[in-house]
Amino acid sequence: MEYIIVGVIVFIILVLITRIKIVPQAQIYIVERLGTFHSEWGTGPHFLVPFIDRVAKKVSIKDQIVDFKPQSVITKDNVSMQIDTVVFFQVTNAKQYAYGVERPMAAIENLSATTLRNIIGDMVLDETLTSRDRINKQITAILDEATDRWGIKVSRVELKNILPPREIQDSMEKQMKAERESREKILLAEGEKKSKILVAEGEKESQILRAEAAKAAEILRAEAEKEAMILRANAVKEKKILESEGDALAIANVQIAQAESLERLNAANPSENVLKYKAIDMFPKVADGKATKIIIPSEIQGIAGLAAGIQGVLSDKKENEQIKK
């Protein structure tokens, strides 16, 4: 009997221990009592009444990411393609999440697929490929509004891959290749154009520099020639000045010598015969001019008598010298 009582007590203790529940961080437990919703347990320890309460659902309130498989969609221009989506969501109301919809992930997947088909059906292929941001925003708004009554907050929807048919991909690749080749040709043409422009500008600047250098050289040569002419003119001028000064000095010296000669002659009190001799001595100089007619003064017309007088003077001089010897 005692063993039975001890066993019952141990059993009761074990049951009570197992009914203690600790809720981890970022989770909420939905507790039902006798089959109906009782409460939401947050983080921490809780006690579950044996045989009456039960944990109906464990709900994570962290941000969750669901990658759905590719969905087949058709564009406005009847192009079939495969698009897979990634949905970012968070449970904001654990009770609505637990009782609002059966299989929430399946509901979100089907809702995103139908919404995607509706949006893509209003777009052509090129617009679909270039309007990812607009498609993402439209799907996010529609899903967020539809899942609000399920206690789910859809924060973002992303188109992961857009896969058009193989022939469309080949055509797009050819188009991209043609565009790249066209851009390459344009870039090469622009580069060649710029190169020619630079070469022309360099040649132009080179010609300008050569012209300026030639001009400067001509100016320098002209200035040097001008200075040389000035120097030669100054030299000629100085030469003429010196020659004029020399001639003037020579004339002055001659005049001085003549004046002195006249003074000495006057001081010597020359005879008439000597004066006549001097006149005859000056006659060749007078006759040396360019005149065609020479007027001989009357005083020197008796040249024979003058010559005899001079001969007599010379004879007297020789006799005096012999006497002295």
Side-chain angles (χ1 to χ4, degrees):
M1 189 65 181
E2 292 179 358
Y3 291 107
I4 296 174
I5 295 173
V6 172
V8 171
I9 293 173
V10 171
F11 175 74
I12 293 173
I13 292 173
L14 291 176
V15 169
L16 293 175
I17 291 174
T18 56
R19 305 310 286 177
I20 297 173
K21 300 296 180 181
I22 298 176
V23 180
Q25 185 71 33
Q27 283 193 357
I28 294 178
Y29 285 5
I30 302 299
V31 179
E32 294 179 350
R33 178 167 290 178
L34 299 176
T36 60
F37 174 76
H38 174 62
S39 63
E40 297 179 4
W41 286 356
T43 303
H46 298 273
F47 182 75
L48 197 66
V49 178
F51 310 109
I52 297 176
D53 296 339
R54 76 180 186 91
V55 177
K57 195 173 187 65
K58 298 178 181 180
V59 180
S60 174
I61 59 174
K62 296 184 292 185
D63 286 338
Q64 300 183 49
I65 303 171
V66 181
D67 187 0
F68 296 128
K69 62 182 180 180
Q71 302 292 329
S72 178
V73 296
I74 300 175
T75 63
K76 188 176 181 179
D77 50 353
N78 296 323
V79 177
S80 178
M81 62 177 62
Q82 298 288 325
I83 300 178
D84 57 342
T85 56
V86 179
V87 179
F88 299 81
F89 71 93
Q90 182 184 20
V91 176
T92 57
N93 191 317
K95 181 180 178 181
Q96 291 180 352
Y97 180 77
Y99 300 103
V101 62
E102 187 69 24
R103 296 191 301 164
M105 293 300 100
I108 293 174
E109 181 179 5
N110 291 323
L111 182 59
S112 64
T114 55
T115 303
L116 184 61
R117 290 191 182 98
N118 292 333
I119 295 173
I120 299 300
D122 293 332
M123 297 181 176
V124 296
L125 177 61
D126 293 339
E127 187 179 3
T128 302
L129 297 174
T130 58
S131 303
R132 288 196 177 198
D133 289 340
R134 182 159 62 90
I135 297 172
N136 293 340
K137 291 178 181 179
Q138 290 180 358
I139 298 177
T140 301
I142 293 172
L143 289 182
D144 185 44
E145 182 180 358
T147 58
D148 186 60
R149 59 192 181 89
W150 300 340
I152 297 174
K153 172 68 177 177
V154 177
S155 59
R156 191 174 183 84
V157 179
E158 292 286 345
L159 301 184
K160 186 177 180 181
N161 291 311
I162 299 178
L163 302 174
R166 183 71 256 174
E167 59 272 12
I168 299 296
Q169 294 183 23
D170 294 340
S171 177
M172 292 172 61
E173 289 178 357
K174 291 179 181 178
Q175 182 180 359
M176 292 174 61
K177 183 179 180 181
E179 290 178 354
R180 285 195 297 268
E181 291 177 352
S182 176
R183 287 195 296 269
E184 181 181 1
K185 291 179 180 179
I186 291 172
L187 291 175
L188 289 175
E190 289 179 352
E192 186 176 358
K193 177 182 176 182
K194 290 180 179 178
S195 177
K196 290 182 179 179
I197 291 173
L198 291 175
V199 171
E201 289 179 351
E203 182 65 23
K204 177 183 177 182
E205 292 179 358
S206 176
Q207 291 179 358
I208 292 172
L209 291 175
R210 287 196 295 269
E212 291 178 352
K215 179 181 177 182
E218 290 293 334
I219 292 172
L220 291 175
R221 283 196 295 270
E223 291 179 351
E225 187 175 355
K226 177 182 177 182
E227 292 179 357
M229 292 175 65
I230 292 171
L231 291 175
R232 286 195 295 271
N234 291 332
V236 171
K237 179 181 177 182
E238 291 178 359
K239 178 182 178 182
K240 289 182 178 180
I241 291 171
L242 292 174
E243 289 177 352
S244 298
E245 291 177 352
D247 292 341
L249 182 60
I251 292 171
N253 290 333
V254 170
Q255 291 178 352
I256 291 171
Q258 290 178 353
E260 291 177 354
S261 175
L262 290 174
E263 288 179 358
R264 287 195 297 272
L265 184 62
N266 189 30
N269 193 14
S271 64
E272 182 179 357
N273 291 331
V274 173
L275 292 177
K276 290 179 179 182
Y277 176 77
K278 284 290 183 181
I280 292 172
D281 186 51
M282 290 298 295
F283 184 76
K285 294 182 180 180
V286 174
D288 193 28
K290 296 181 180 180
T292 58
K293 295 181 179 181
I294 300 175
I295 299 173
I296 300 173
S298 58
E299 289 82 0
I300 60 173
Q301 290 180 357
I303 297 175
L306 179 60
I310 292 171
Q311 186 177 4
V313 171
L314 293 175
S315 298
D316 293 340
K317 186 177 182 180
K318 286 180 180 181
E319 290 177 357
N320 292 330
E321 288 179 356
Q322 288 177 0
I323 293 172
K324 289 179 179 181
K325 291 181 178 181

